[in-house]
Amino acid sequence: MSTALLAASQSVQAVLLAALQADTALGVLFPPLGASVVSLATPDGMVALDQTGVSIWLYRVVRDEQLLNQPPRRLPPDRLQAVPLPMRLHYLVTPMMRGNAGEPAPETDQHVLGAILRTFHRQPSLSGAALAGSLRGTDQRIRVNLESPPIDELARVWDTLDQPYRASLCYEVSVVEVESDRPDAHGPPVLQSEPGLGQASPLLHPAGALP
């Protein structure tokens, strides 16, 4: 599905918002009690919109080379499904909290950072009801892994933003599958010789299995 990347972002966004709302001290800052948000906008985009909360910015999208050359998936014995494009998504997650007078709030930012770390340490795998958007109701499972990129790479990321550096976290979300729009291929069933017989017979594979 072409909306898989967006759905992965929405899934991370929803899980994090629910965790912040459930936090005893931070819950009053987020809806329905407060005005802070968990946004997919960049940090400078949130500033431009005069928003406080957390920025989850998808700043890099990379193919998973190890899974790229998987063979087609066999559905019924006579049908092959094209393999989806496996992607790894990299996010910069930045608290953008402010005090009552609009000044920076480093203490609250650090509290939010701790809540983010706790959330995805406790729930590093998202599936089932934790999925949102077009991933909802599917059997997909995505992992949310904390990254520690080199400081020069992180500096380059912040250089693209029209904002001073702020304490932030980097997460990789994988594997997100972008499904092919090519029609399924059709062909004869796979044949296998039965033990003790000199002839081949159709071998019926369960859905998703490979010969």
Side-chain angles (χ1 to χ4, degrees), residues 77-176:
D78 64 342
R79 191 154 60 94
L80 295 174
Q81 184 183 59
V83 177
L85 183 63
M87 305 302 299
R88 295 181 176 272
L89 313 183
H90 299 266
Y91 293 86
L92 183 73
V93 183
T94 310
M96 303 288 293
M97 307 304 295
R98 294 198 301 265
N100 294 332
E103 74 280 2
E107 296 86 356
T108 308
D109 280 350
Q110 292 180 32
H111 190 164
V112 172
L113 284 172
I116 296 168
L117 288 166
R118 179 183 61 192
T119 298
F120 295 117
H121 178 68
R122 180 182 61 219
Q123 191 175 358
S125 180
L126 306 185
S127 61
L131 298 178
S134 59
L135 292 179
R136 184 182 290 112
T138 71
D139 60 356
Q140 295 293 309
R141 179 182 298 271
I142 57 177
R143 291 193 60 83
V144 184
N145 298 312
L146 181 65
E147 293 189 300
S148 298
I151 189 64
D152 57 336
E153 178 181 332
L154 193 57
R156 287 195 299 271
V157 172
W158 275 96
D159 280 345
T160 66
L161 300 169
D162 188 23
Q163 287 292 311
Y165 174 83
R166 299 180 70 127
S168 53
L169 300 168
C170 292
Y171 280 93
E172 179 191 76
V173 174
S174 61
V175 169
V176 178

